[in-house]
Amino acid sequence: MSLHLLVEIAGQRVAFAATAIEAVADLGDVVPIPFAPAHVAGLAAIRSQLVTVVDASVAVGAGPGTNAARAVLINHEGHRFAIGVDRVIDVVDDATCDPLETVPLSPEWRAVATGRLTTLNGFALLLDPARLINPPVTLAG
Amino acid sequence: MDELTGEFVAETREMLDALGDALLSWEAQPADTRRLDEIFRFVHTVKGSCGFLDLPRIAALAHGAETALANVRSGARVADVALVGAMLGIVDRIAHLTAALDPDSRLEVPPPASDADLIAALDRPSAAIVSDAARASPMRSVRVAVPLLEALMAQVSDLVLVRNDLARTLAQRTDDDAVRVGFERLSAIVGDLRDSVTRTRMQPIDRLFSALPRLVRDTANTLGKSVRLEIAGADVEIDREMVEAIRDPLIHIVRNAIDHGIETPGERAALGKPSTSILRIAAHQSGNQIGIEIDDDGRGIDLAALVARAVAAGVIDAGRAATLDSASASQLIFAPGLSTRSDVTEISGRGVGMDVVRANVERLGGTVALVNRPGKGLSITLRAPLTLSIVTALTLYVGTQRFAVSRNAIEEVVSLRFGKARLETIGGGMIAVVRGTVLPAFALADLLGLVAQPPTLAVVVATTSGQRYVLAVDAIGDPQELVIRALAPGLAAIGLFAGQSLGSDGAPLVVLDPVALADRAGVMRTPVVTEPPVTSAEVPTVLIATAVGGQRIAVRAVLVDRLIEVAATDWTSCGGRAFVKVDGVPMPIARCAVVEPHDGPAAILSDGSRHLVLPLAAIADLVPMPSPVPVGHGGVEALLQIDGVSHALLDALTLFDGIATPVRSSRPIAAIELEPTPWAQALLAPLLDAAGYEVRFGPLPAAELSIRLAIEHPGASEGEIALARSADGGPEVARYDRATLADLVAVARKAA
């Protein structure tokens, strides 16, 4: 049984494997970048380090999220990213994970999800943070 | 160092590098004499070269080693640990003395007497030899893996950022002086640490160039061509990793130039060219880029043949080929699989074409440009970033956003408010008029798709790719040192940004790439031309000011080094001339402006070697020079009408009249007042050089030591050495009596 972080993105309960993320942090001011892909909110400084801020809500096809105050930090191929989330719900260590086959998902969600997590308080989609950073589905700007 | 000695030093150094393995394995197993031949060849070659070059110390060492090794080879002697040790001592000493031949090395030369000990040690069964390698501590170095340096650099960069962060926090939260003093000290050390770490990554490009003379000589010999290599800018420093990365492309281009570009001596003679061709390789740093120009005087690219081959290879169709201009046609050399020669040669025919060279250089973030002069030669310019990850940058404000841009790219910043510069919209585009010069202009907000107020500042940008344009912005911040980090791949793909950074206020900054911006905006790149620039009839600029006496004066702007403030207390008078201290050093005041000491502005004027101070009452402006009314006396070159007022254009000749050229060298000068015969150049001059003199030919009043023929100057006084050819019946010194000459020079040097 492994640790999972439960967060809310675009009104949905989703989960990240604890091994896939570095930390959870407060998100400060985000500096937008001209011509950046729609799901990239901009740059931020977290603990004196530069991070690229990803708007997870856009990445899953739900349109721009409200200003996220919390972010999940990950390190992907040597670059640091902060995935903005609506809120951090919990850390669970007793969830079971099942394949996605039985879940009807929109293409955007399907592109970033890797499994269905069952917790004591209900289901959550297990997301791959690397796919949120580079959403395989072309997003309309 | 003359050319022959230089070659000897380079060659010996190369042989020593190659010899390392043989020495090590011999040291490990003295009885194993298989590697002996290599060492024998080395000392034998060195001995031979020394005979030519008159290097008796090295020759004696090599001779001793050669004798001992010959005995081992003939079986007359058994190699033991003592012999190996003695041999290593000799090889190290040869290496040391050879390195010391390079005047730049500043190596201490061990006393000649100690050579005899080393040679004697070859015959002693065991001896304690202190090898020069152990003593030469200034030259010691360790090898460090590049990834470790990278990690160090990244950690130091982070340290700098944390320091900046902490500095802000401390400023808000504490008044404790002890904490503040401690932090300031820490902060200074962090700064020094960053400088040191940055330096560990830099090294002179000479490391790349030092292999070239050999490469050129070997390649030219193989091909039966005669090539003279001229290298310039070997002291330009670049990132050590960049040295490795540029090596292959550079070697390839050099080989290509000799193989394909340069003709055989016979062909050159038939074309009326000098039989020896000249290959020039010059490095120069511009901004945060390094440029390496490889310039030959060979046949250039045969465009007709190149286009024909491109058509044959299917790179381009015949119809399109017919419409190519020569610049585009020469670009075909970069197409994959093309060569201007049909025969594959030993030298260049390695399946690596210019396409690979260009791809490799572009992968480094560089460019390859060429200028073809059919029948006359080819110039290829490699440009690559110095990969300095720390740059001084300015912050440009646009609307609610700000961006950083390397200060190197910014020529000047001019306000749009006071008529110094203006923007005009013309045909949907914008041009800027900055002091009469017209430049393409772009609102940074438009380029970045942002909404902003009308701009107030014109930033004149000049890129390393030869683009010059104006970026109009709202405001500009103070320069700051930024650690530039790569953007995440998805953002780097936008193609307008050079990276990201944390500003000194701790907020993220996007760093603009001025070349990419210009390309996006469609600014023409000026081709890099290596021909000497033709002096254009550009209107010169003059500095206009009010002299202390109230006259309106003008000085050509090229003479103005910088503008300063001087204080009356820094004035002094000496030997009929007035001086004022600038940066702690007295600098002469222009005669035409000698006035009572006073506080005020002044211009430092320079003619390239001499400097003087021109005190002024007020400095007005820099303006284009209107047509002059020549005057030509009284220290006034001409009268200029500027804004309806006559200004006296000061005459540069009069200004600098009577100001001595400073002796730049810290070494005293020895003047050889003899014909520059081979004897004087090859024997006398090095002798004087070795004694610590800067050698000049011809009579020089400033010389500390003059060397003359006794017969013309009987009765030599102190500071003179009168030589006499034995044929003239002169008294003391024969021309080839090296020891006596050296003594005479040494005595003169001491007396001085």
Side-chain angles (χ1 to χ4, degrees), chain A residues 29-37 39-53 76-81 133-134, chain B residues 158 161-162 165 401-403 446-450 483 485-491 494 496-497 500-502 506-510 520:
Chain A
D29 291 339
V30 178
V31 174
I33 301 170
F35 307 120
H39 71 287
V40 175
L43 299 177
I46 296 179
R47 297 170 195 160
S48 298
Q49 293 193 334
L50 279 164
V51 295
T52 304
V53 182
H76 181 66
E77 291 171 358
H79 293 276
R80 291 196 179 87
F81 292 87
I133 291 162
N134 298 305
Chain B
D158 287 343
L161 295 176
V162 173
D165 220 22
Q401 276 201 256
R402 54 179 202 161
F403 299 90
D446 293 346
L447 287 181
L448 298 176
L450 302 171
V483 178
R485 293 276 169 79
L487 281 167
L491 300 176
I494 299 168
L496 289 176
F497 309 120
Q500 56 183 344
S501 186
L502 279 182
L509 273 169
V510 180
R520 185 71 58 95

Side-chain angles (χ1 to χ4, degrees), chain B residues 54 670-697 705-709 721-724 733-738 740-745:
Chain B
D54 192 12
I672 301 180
E673 299 180 23
L674 306 171
E675 288 297 306
T677 55
W679 173 81
Q681 287 183 325
L683 201 151
L684 192 54
L687 217 131
L688 291 165
D689 186 75
Y693 286 104
E694 169 135 357
V695 183
R696 302 272 176 81
F697 280 87
L705 176 71
S706 304
I707 304 232
R708 296 171 185 154
L709 280 181
I721 293 179
L723 299 175
V733 194
R735 285 159 66 86
Y736 295 97
D737 187 349
R738 195 190 178 100
T740 314
L741 270 175
D743 285 349
L744 275 173
V745 171

